[in-house]
Amino acid sequence: MSYKTLIVKKEGAVDWVTLNRPDALNAMNPELVDELQDYFGRLYTDHSVRIVVLKGSGRAFCAGLDLKERSNRPDADATSGSPQSGLVAQRRISEIVMRMRRCPQAIISLIHGPACGGGFALALASDIRIAGTSARMNAAFIRIGLSACDIGVSYFLPRLVGVSVASELMMTGRFINAERAERVGLVSEVVEDEKLDDAAAPYIDEMLTTSPLGLRLTKECLNMSVDAGSLEAAVAMEDRNQILCAQTNDFREGISAFLGKRKPAYTNS
């Protein structure tokens, strides 16, 4: 993979993915949109990657869509042209968060500085969020004449913080800082900005001690259970997953490692 606006650094089963438009606070221009869509789309069948750490270069995580940059591409601007072309452009962006949820890898977002609009959506679509003390997040869309319901925000935010806080943030567009984000359960923890990479290490280490299939199926089942129509539907998915995992060599290795008080050596078999 060769990208211009993303840096992908591979460390074993972990991809460190950096949004790399620091001069624009990593705002999402058409090129970055395309590259994010391509990257997360490729992950669906790439089981060599187990964990993705998403971060931003420079002073921000992601300041949202790049309103200053205009492209000659006819589908680049969802606010101009026909409804048909607008929907094409809109779906190019919203497809990113759907691919983030569809891919089987755990996604950790390290958030510092602004995470606004589309950047907020990227953070919400992640599995785990860790905030730097400088983090400031908001549903910026409503502040420029649009609805705050965009790029999955209306789906993810109330499920993470409840309808009341989500309504407040979305109907006002106000910022939520790192301290409050931790208090309402939007992020797992808050650390100094320069310690964000280090803060991700324990999560990575602990997830790498799980079996590859077990981690993938856990994300899949969590996704489905959030919208399950009943307890029975969620339990049926859980039962299926456990039987699948129990048939693997990794399950036998996990039991052996536990009894032997050693770290498991999983082979994804």
Side-chain angles (χ1 to χ4, degrees):
M1 294 178 290
S2 179
Y3 297 126
K4 294 181 179 178
T5 61
L6 286 180
I7 298 173
V8 180
K9 180 182 178 183
K10 293 184 173 293
E11 293 184 357
V14 182
D15 275 6
W16 290 77
V17 180
T18 304
L19 309 179
N20 192 36
R21 300 189 69 231
D23 293 341
L25 298 181
N26 302 314
M28 297 163 67
N29 66 349
E31 188 169 40
L32 180 53
V33 167
D34 285 347
E35 291 184 356
L36 282 167
Q37 192 184 108
D38 180 77
Y39 173 76
F40 284 110
R42 289 172 181 266
L43 287 180
Y44 187 75
T45 56
D46 185 358
H47 291 170
S48 69
V49 180
R50 299 189 59 201
I51 301 166
V52 176
V53 182
L54 185 64
K55 54 190 288 192
S57 61
R59 298 181 291 114
F61 177 71
C62 174
L65 298 184
D66 194 333
L67 299 177
K68 295 181 179 179
E69 181 171 314
R70 287 292 182 265
S71 171
N72 292 324
R73 290 170 50 172
D75 64 340
D77 188 355
T79 64
S80 64
S82 68
Q84 292 90 337
S85 64
L87 278 172
V88 170
Q90 181 72 19
R91 182 48 59 94
R92 282 178 53 242
I93 301 165
S94 58
E95 179 68 19
I96 296 168
V97 299
M98 289 192 284
R99 292 185 180 190
M100 290 174 71
R101 297 316 306 154
R102 196 179 299 135
C103 75
Q105 292 80 3
I107 302 172
I108 304 171
S109 274
L110 306 181
I111 308 158
H112 75 289
C116 308
F120 191 30
L122 293 178
L124 295 177
S126 303
D127 297 292
I128 297 171
R129 287 155 295 280
I130 304 172
T133 52
S134 69
R136 299 172 71 245
M137 297 169 274
N138 81 326
F141 325 99
I142 200 167
R143 292 193 168 190
I144 58 170
L146 297 172
S147 164
C149 302
D150 197 11
I151 319 179
V153 171
S154 67
Y155 179 87
F156 296 119
L157 191 59
R159 284 165 169 79
L160 290 168
V161 302
V163 174
S164 180
V165 174
S167 298
E168 170 208 335
L169 296 176
M170 295 178 69
M171 291 180 176
T172 64
R174 67 174 51 170
F175 282 92
I176 181 169
N177 62 20
E179 180 183 358
R180 188 182 180 204
E182 183 180 28
R183 192 165 67 245
V184 301
L186 183 55
V187 301
S188 294
E189 63 176 300
V190 177
V191 299
E192 297 296 327
D193 287 4
E194 61 272 15
K195 295 181 179 179
L196 277 168
D197 285 9
D198 292 338
Y203 298 86
I204 294 169
D205 291 344
E206 289 166 15
M207 285 190 284
L208 289 179
T209 64
T210 67
S211 74
L213 180 62
L215 186 60
R216 294 198 302 272
L217 292 182
T218 296
K219 176 170 178 173
E220 178 185 82
C221 190
L222 273 170
N223 283 342
M224 294 186 176
S225 293
V226 165
D227 296 320
S230 65
L231 172 62
E232 287 78 8
V235 169
M237 176 65 65
E238 292 176 346
D239 290 347
R240 182 207 71 157
N241 288 355
Q242 295 300 59
I243 295 304
L244 287 174
C245 289
Q247 308 307 307
T248 66
N249 290 326
D250 281 346
F251 173 66
R252 289 183 280 275
E253 167 61 13
I255 294 295
S256 177
F258 176 80
L259 295 176
K261 297 182 179 180
R262 60 177 175 80
K263 186 175 180 179
Y266 294 121
T267 58
N268 196 26
S269 65

